[in-house]
Amino acid sequence: MTITRLTALAHDEPLLHALATRLLAVAEAGLPAMYRAGADTFVFTRTAKAAPDGSWSLEQRGTSTRYAAITALGARFLPEDRQRAVLGGHTAEDFTGLLIERLPAVTNLGDAALIAWAAAETEHPKLSDALARVAALDEDGGPRYTVEAAWVLSALAAARGAVDVEDRFSSARDRLLRARIGDGPLFPHATGPGLVPWYRAHVSCFADQTYPLQALARAHASGGDPEALAASEACAARICALQGDGGQWWWHYDARTGGVVEGYPVYSVHQHAMAPTALFDLAEAGGTDFGASIRSGLRWMADVPELAAAPESMILDEPGVTWRKVYRGDPKKAVRAARGIGTRVAPGLRLGPLDRLFRPASLDRECRPYEFGWMLFAWLGGRI
């Protein structure tokens, strides 16, 4: 029997395996309700309102090409009948084809890169068309947001066995490696100046770490690249060293110093999906096994210390959601703003009274489809 990430967890920690299995069932239950059949795409989010009887009523809002592509990336690991149940009657390959057809109207590099990545992973015959759109959107050579630059590299790494992308692959790989500030292990929010205001150019988020470390690990796995693997490893080691005592993956970092700027919000998708998939990819590429950190982060989903005074589950089996985040509830994200500006002039500045004034006990009751797409990717993907 092939041992997957999920089945390996059953051997290591049965209780966490039960939690991950439950979360995957929630994902498969929730995704069909996030599908807009008339448009053949996914909503941007589902938001909750409390009913008088204590139940939750969920409303669909917007649509998202990006989230649709991420869902395809995860759903492809399901058996075909379950792919169709999640993707409005389509297989992952067919649904990716719909996204490729819409690429001429896609103007965001990250969206196009995710579609190309899905095309590579599903072995879609129009992969070259998808890659051409990525190249067209990325041709000026200017700075890019780090997350989008990482998705470009992941797409090209996935495509290497099917299409000649070596020149573009090398450029995308070098762009990510050069983006780091000095010898620091963490990645900034953008690969170069001009996209982020000067006063917060040092602040990067958790996604700015996980997607590059994943992309560089996949770059190494696709053809052997010790420098890329080392950069991935260094980033992973740092975010794992900073992980909270309750398993929290923190949100904002100082890319210069490798420290935490502001920990909250803590997002459920980081705990159950984004951190696991990036760290699993690193281990499977030959890097360090950060399994203990993965398990600690997953455990937070069932034991949220921030909500201890007023316990509420992050997971609702019915109607199939995981609540989006735990946050401070500070007006206009005041704590993040104050710490971002403060650490610009005084690295490591904490402004401790803010922790007492704005405690992280608020819950964001919404759920987005990409959270479940990455969850499927994290736990059903890979082979150990």
Side-chain angles (χ1 to χ4, degrees):
M1 181 184 71
T2 301
I3 300 176
T4 67
R5 296 162 175 178
L6 182 63
T7 54
L9 189 63
H11 179 269
D12 295 338
E13 293 209 31
L15 291 178
L16 282 183
H17 175 264
L19 174 60
T21 300
R22 178 189 177 194
L23 284 165
L24 289 166
V26 167
E28 287 196 61
L31 281 170
M34 297 180 179
Y35 195 82
R36 286 198 182 273
D40 269 329
T41 193
F42 280 86
V43 301
F44 177 74
T45 193
R46 293 174 84 196
T47 59
K49 293 182 180 179
D53 63 359
S55 63
W56 296 100
S57 171
L58 282 103
E59 175 187 351
Q60 294 183 336
R61 292 186 182 176
T63 60
S64 175
T65 297
R66 175 171 298 193
Y67 294 172
I70 292 170
T71 303
L73 277 166
R76 78 185 193 279
F77 292 109
L78 295 170
E80 183 176 314
D81 60 328
R82 289 158 62 189
Q83 290 180 31
R84 294 184 185 278
V86 162
L87 297 172
H90 306 288
T91 65
E93 181 182 350
D94 291 342
F95 183 68
T96 299
L98 295 177
L99 298 177
I100 294 171
E101 289 175 6
R102 299 167 189 164
L103 270 172
V106 171
T107 58
N108 180 272
L109 176 61
D111 292 4
L114 287 164
I115 293 170
W117 187 359
E121 297 289 2
T122 60
E123 300 181 346
H124 197 280
K126 292 189 176 180
L127 169 61
S128 293
D129 293 348
L131 292 170
R133 185 57 180 160
V134 174
L137 293 172
D138 200 23
E139 66 180 353
D140 67 7
R144 300 285 182 251
Y145 289 109
T146 298
V147 165
E148 295 177 356
W151 288 339
V152 170
L153 181 58
S154 287
L156 294 170
R160 285 179 93 183
V163 181
D164 181 5
V165 295
E166 292 310 302
D167 289 345
R168 283 180 283 166
F169 173 87
S170 295
S171 296
R173 174 257 194 205
D174 292 347
R175 175 171 59 189
L176 265 189
L177 291 176
R178 288 196 307 265
R180 292 168 299 170
I181 301 172
D183 296 326
L186 299 186
F187 291 85
H189 191 57
T191 63
L195 295 179
V196 182
W198 68 268
Y199 55 84
R200 68 177 309 275
H202 65 295
V203 179
S204 59
C205 66
F206 187 70
D208 295 325
Q209 314 313 320
T210 55
Y211 291 126
L213 84 82
Q214 177 184 36
L216 291 166
R218 286 178 162 258
H220 174 69
S222 72
D225 188 338
E227 184 181 1
L229 182 66
S232 176
E233 178 97 16
C235 180
R238 187 59 185 152
I239 62 172
C240 289
L242 295 171
Q243 189 177 21
D245 292 340
Q248 301 95 333
W249 295 110
W250 301 126
W251 180 220
H252 276 156
Y253 300 86
D254 190 325
R256 304 166 302 177
T257 66
V260 174
V261 171
E262 163 56 9
Y264 292 93
V266 172
Y267 288 86
S268 60
V269 66
H270 298 167
Q271 305 295 133
H272 65 54
M274 283 170 54
T277 194
L279 296 174
F280 278 135
D281 280 353
L282 171 61
E284 290 167 16
T288 298
D289 180 356
F290 289 100
S293 295
I294 292 171
R295 294 189 291 273
S296 180
L298 179 63
R299 194 174 290 113
W300 181 91
M301 290 296 300
D303 184 13
V304 184
E306 291 84 356
L307 302 179
E312 181 174 345
S313 178
M314 296 291 293
I315 308 165
L316 272 69
D317 303 271
E318 176 61 41
V321 295
T322 55
W323 294 140
R324 180 163 167 74
K325 65 180 183 280
V326 170
Y327 66 108
R328 292 187 185 278
D330 46 327
K332 298 183 179 179
K333 304 174 183 177
V335 175
R336 278 184 277 175
R339 285 181 169 158
I341 295 171
T343 53
R344 180 67 188 180
V345 296
L349 183 68
R350 292 302 304 152
L351 302 173
L354 294 174
D355 289 323
R356 296 187 293 274
L357 186 61
F358 299 108
R359 296 186 181 279
S362 297
L363 193 56
D364 181 357
R365 296 180 183 86
E366 65 173 305
C367 186
R368 301 183 182 182
Y370 86 103
E371 303 174 20
F372 290 158
W374 283 138
M375 187 197 297
L376 296 172
F377 191 108
W379 294 101
L380 302 182
R383 295 292 182 270
I384 299 174

mmCIF file of all heavy atoms in Angstrom, residues 36 44 88 108 111 130 136 182 200 203 212-213 219 274 277 279 282 309 317 332 355 365 379:
data_model
loop_
_atom_site.group_PDB
_atom_site.id
_atom_site.type_symbol
_atom_site.label_atom_id
_atom_site.label_comp_id
_atom_site.label_asym_id
_atom_site.label_seq_id
_atom_site.Cartn_x
_atom_site.Cartn_y
_atom_site.Cartn_z
ATOM 1 N N ARG A 36 -20.090 28.257 -7.938
ATOM 2 C CA ARG A 36 -21.133 28.993 -8.649
ATOM 3 C C ARG A 36 -21.365 28.305 -9.993
ATOM 4 O O ARG A 36 -20.589 28.477 -10.941
ATOM 5 C CB ARG A 36 -20.726 30.445 -8.855
ATOM 6 C CG ARG A 36 -20.793 31.291 -7.589
ATOM 7 C CD ARG A 36 -20.807 32.757 -7.925
ATOM 8 N NE ARG A 36 -20.824 33.616 -6.759
ATOM 9 C CZ ARG A 36 -21.907 34.013 -6.106
ATOM 10 N NH1 ARG A 36 -23.102 33.567 -6.498
ATOM 11 N NH2 ARG A 36 -21.814 34.825 -5.070
ATOM 12 N N PHE A 44 -15.608 33.851 -3.821
ATOM 13 C CA PHE A 44 -14.479 34.411 -3.082
ATOM 14 C C PHE A 44 -14.542 33.982 -1.624
ATOM 15 O O PHE A 44 -13.526 33.617 -1.024
ATOM 16 C CB PHE A 44 -14.485 35.940 -3.194
ATOM 17 C CG PHE A 44 -13.403 36.606 -2.399
ATOM 18 C CD1 PHE A 44 -12.089 36.573 -2.817
ATOM 19 C CD2 PHE A 44 -13.705 37.275 -1.217
ATOM 20 C CE1 PHE A 44 -11.093 37.182 -2.079
ATOM 21 C CE2 PHE A 44 -12.715 37.885 -0.470
ATOM 22 C CZ PHE A 44 -11.395 37.846 -0.909
ATOM 23 N N GLY A 88 -18.239 20.929 -9.541
ATOM 24 C CA GLY A 88 -19.413 21.210 -10.367
ATOM 25 C C GLY A 88 -19.632 20.226 -11.495
ATOM 26 O O GLY A 88 -20.133 20.596 -12.569
ATOM 27 N N ASN A 108 -3.842 39.117 -13.812
ATOM 28 C CA ASN A 108 -3.024 38.974 -12.605
ATOM 29 C C ASN A 108 -2.042 37.823 -12.778
ATOM 30 O O ASN A 108 -2.437 36.704 -13.107
ATOM 31 C CB ASN A 108 -3.921 38.723 -11.385
ATOM 32 C CG ASN A 108 -3.112 38.566 -10.108
ATOM 33 O OD1 ASN A 108 -2.692 37.473 -9.776
ATOM 34 N ND2 ASN A 108 -2.886 39.670 -9.419
ATOM 35 N N ASP A 111 -2.712 34.652 -10.581
ATOM 36 C CA ASP A 111 -3.824 33.836 -11.060
ATOM 37 C C ASP A 111 -3.386 32.977 -12.244
ATOM 38 O O ASP A 111 -3.688 31.774 -12.313
ATOM 39 C CB ASP A 111 -4.987 34.725 -11.495
ATOM 40 C CG ASP A 111 -5.645 35.463 -10.333
ATOM 41 O OD1 ASP A 111 -5.150 35.346 -9.195
ATOM 42 O OD2 ASP A 111 -6.650 36.140 -10.569
ATOM 43 N N ALA A 130 -1.171 27.930 -21.348
ATOM 44 C CA ALA A 130 -1.177 28.513 -20.006
ATOM 45 C C ALA A 130 0.173 29.148 -19.678
ATOM 46 O O ALA A 130 0.244 30.256 -19.137
ATOM 47 C CB ALA A 130 -1.534 27.447 -18.974
ATOM 48 N N ALA A 136 3.683 36.175 -20.839
ATOM 49 C CA ALA A 136 3.248 37.491 -21.315
ATOM 50 C C ALA A 136 3.028 38.462 -20.156
ATOM 51 O O ALA A 136 3.327 39.660 -20.279
ATOM 52 C CB ALA A 136 1.968 37.351 -22.133
ATOM 53 N N GLY A 182 19.883 40.740 2.479
ATOM 54 C CA GLY A 182 21.140 40.316 3.085
ATOM 55 C C GLY A 182 21.229 38.811 3.189
ATOM 56 O O GLY A 182 20.874 38.080 2.257
ATOM 57 N N ARG A 200 6.840 50.108 5.309
ATOM 58 C CA ARG A 200 6.528 48.726 5.663
ATOM 59 C C ARG A 200 7.189 47.731 4.706
ATOM 60 O O ARG A 200 6.790 46.581 4.612
ATOM 61 C CB ARG A 200 5.015 48.492 5.714
ATOM 62 C CG ARG A 200 4.298 48.559 4.396
ATOM 63 C CD ARG A 200 2.812 48.242 4.548
ATOM 64 N NE ARG A 200 2.541 47.031 5.267
ATOM 65 C CZ ARG A 200 2.513 45.814 4.718
ATOM 66 N NH1 ARG A 200 2.770 45.675 3.426
ATOM 67 N NH2 ARG A 200 2.239 44.765 5.458
ATOM 68 N N VAL A 203 8.250 44.459 6.242
ATOM 69 C CA VAL A 203 7.228 43.558 6.793
ATOM 70 C C VAL A 203 6.779 42.572 5.721
ATOM 71 O O VAL A 203 6.394 42.953 4.619
ATOM 72 C CB VAL A 203 6.020 44.355 7.313
ATOM 73 C CG1 VAL A 203 4.952 43.405 7.853
ATOM 74 C CG2 VAL A 203 6.450 45.341 8.397
ATOM 75 N N PRO A 212 7.387 30.639 -1.164
ATOM 76 C CA PRO A 212 8.756 30.525 -1.676
ATOM 77 C C PRO A 212 9.478 29.269 -1.210
ATOM 78 O O PRO A 212 10.188 28.630 -1.997
ATOM 79 C CB PRO A 212 9.447 31.780 -1.145
ATOM 80 C CG PRO A 212 8.363 32.753 -0.923
ATOM 81 C CD PRO A 212 7.184 31.926 -0.471
ATOM 82 N N LEU A 213 9.315 28.902 0.072
ATOM 83 C CA LEU A 213 10.032 27.702 0.525
ATOM 84 C C LEU A 213 9.493 26.468 -0.184
ATOM 85 O O LEU A 213 10.256 25.539 -0.510
ATOM 86 C CB LEU A 213 10.002 27.590 2.056
ATOM 87 C CG LEU A 213 8.820 26.975 2.805
ATOM 88 C CD1 LEU A 213 8.898 25.449 2.839
ATOM 89 C CD2 LEU A 213 8.771 27.530 4.229
ATOM 90 N N ALA A 219 11.609 23.215 -6.870
ATOM 91 C CA ALA A 219 12.640 23.453 -7.883
ATOM 92 C C ALA A 219 13.768 22.434 -7.730
ATOM 93 O O ALA A 219 14.251 21.863 -8.719
ATOM 94 C CB ALA A 219 13.181 24.874 -7.755
ATOM 95 N N MET A 274 -1.509 25.377 4.627
ATOM 96 C CA MET A 274 -0.364 26.007 3.972
ATOM 97 C C MET A 274 0.970 25.619 4.579
ATOM 98 O O MET A 274 1.922 25.307 3.858
ATOM 99 C CB MET A 274 -0.535 27.528 3.945
ATOM 100 C CG MET A 274 -1.502 27.995 2.875
ATOM 101 S SD MET A 274 -1.957 29.748 3.005
ATOM 102 C CE MET A 274 -0.345 30.535 3.030
ATOM 103 N N THR A 277 1.605 21.771 3.694
ATOM 104 C CA THR A 277 1.980 21.423 2.321
ATOM 105 C C THR A 277 3.377 21.905 1.986
ATOM 106 O O THR A 277 4.140 21.218 1.309
ATOM 107 C CB THR A 277 0.944 21.954 1.309
ATOM 108 O OG1 THR A 277 1.180 21.332 0.060
ATOM 109 C CG2 THR A 277 1.004 23.454 1.135
ATOM 110 N N LEU A 279 5.940 22.409 4.140
ATOM 111 C CA LEU A 279 6.939 21.641 4.887
ATOM 112 C C LEU A 279 6.987 20.191 4.423
ATOM 113 O O LEU A 279 8.062 19.570 4.410
ATOM 114 C CB LEU A 279 6.643 21.734 6.385
ATOM 115 C CG LEU A 279 6.764 23.149 6.979
ATOM 116 C CD1 LEU A 279 6.307 23.165 8.427
ATOM 117 C CD2 LEU A 279 8.193 23.680 6.858
ATOM 118 N N LEU A 282 9.082 20.216 1.297
ATOM 119 C CA LEU A 282 10.502 20.330 1.622
ATOM 120 C C LEU A 282 11.070 18.981 2.035
ATOM 121 O O LEU A 282 12.139 18.566 1.545
ATOM 122 C CB LEU A 282 10.687 21.352 2.748
ATOM 123 C CG LEU A 282 12.092 21.441 3.346
ATOM 124 C CD1 LEU A 282 13.129 21.839 2.300
ATOM 125 C CD2 LEU A 282 12.104 22.425 4.524
ATOM 126 N N ALA A 309 -11.206 31.248 27.042
ATOM 127 C CA ALA A 309 -12.157 31.889 27.948
ATOM 128 C C ALA A 309 -13.590 31.769 27.448
ATOM 129 O O ALA A 309 -14.533 31.833 28.246
ATOM 130 C CB ALA A 309 -11.785 33.367 28.122
ATOM 131 N N ASP A 317 -18.727 20.775 11.051
ATOM 132 C CA ASP A 317 -18.954 19.697 10.085
ATOM 133 C C ASP A 317 -20.134 20.013 9.179
ATOM 134 O O ASP A 317 -20.132 19.696 7.993
ATOM 135 C CB ASP A 317 -19.183 18.379 10.827
ATOM 136 C CG ASP A 317 -18.011 18.048 11.734
ATOM 137 O OD1 ASP A 317 -17.070 17.396 11.275
ATOM 138 O OD2 ASP A 317 -18.037 18.476 12.909
ATOM 139 N N LYS A 332 -9.261 49.130 12.558
ATOM 140 C CA LYS A 332 -8.393 49.420 11.417
ATOM 141 C C LYS A 332 -7.015 48.773 11.534
ATOM 142 O O LYS A 332 -6.003 49.324 11.101
ATOM 143 C CB LYS A 332 -8.259 50.936 11.226
ATOM 144 C CG LYS A 332 -9.586 51.623 10.925
ATOM 145 C CD LYS A 332 -9.401 53.105 10.672
ATOM 146 C CE LYS A 332 -10.747 53.756 10.339
ATOM 147 N NZ LYS A 332 -10.625 55.209 10.095
ATOM 148 N N ASP A 355 -0.684 44.321 23.552
ATOM 149 C CA ASP A 355 -1.146 42.949 23.766
ATOM 150 C C ASP A 355 -2.222 42.884 24.828
ATOM 151 O O ASP A 355 -3.137 42.066 24.750
ATOM 152 C CB ASP A 355 0.040 42.057 24.174
ATOM 153 C CG ASP A 355 0.988 41.800 23.022
ATOM 154 O OD1 ASP A 355 0.519 41.655 21.883
ATOM 155 O OD2 ASP A 355 2.207 41.745 23.259
ATOM 156 N N ARG A 365 -15.767 34.695 11.224
ATOM 157 C CA ARG A 365 -16.611 33.592 10.791
ATOM 158 C C ARG A 365 -16.879 33.683 9.293
ATOM 159 O O ARG A 365 -17.980 34.059 8.864
ATOM 160 C CB ARG A 365 -17.897 33.558 11.609
ATOM 161 C CG ARG A 365 -17.660 33.292 13.095
ATOM 162 C CD ARG A 365 -18.946 33.257 13.877
ATOM 163 N NE ARG A 365 -18.701 33.082 15.297
ATOM 164 C CZ ARG A 365 -18.449 34.074 16.152
ATOM 165 N NH1 ARG A 365 -18.429 35.326 15.696
ATOM 166 N NH2 ARG A 365 -18.236 33.833 17.423
ATOM 167 N N TRP A 379 -2.714 17.149 2.472
ATOM 168 C CA TRP A 379 -2.830 15.856 3.130
ATOM 169 C C TRP A 379 -3.024 14.682 2.176
ATOM 170 O O TRP A 379 -2.710 13.537 2.527
ATOM 171 C CB TRP A 379 -3.970 15.912 4.140
ATOM 172 C CG TRP A 379 -3.624 16.872 5.240
ATOM 173 C CD1 TRP A 379 -4.057 18.162 5.385
ATOM 174 C CD2 TRP A 379 -2.693 16.636 6.297
ATOM 175 N NE1 TRP A 379 -3.472 18.742 6.473
ATOM 176 C CE2 TRP A 379 -2.627 17.834 7.074
ATOM 177 C CE3 TRP A 379 -1.926 15.547 6.693
ATOM 178 C CZ2 TRP A 379 -1.826 17.965 8.188
ATOM 179 C CZ3 TRP A 379 -1.099 15.669 7.818
ATOM 180 C CH2 TRP A 379 -1.066 16.866 8.540
#
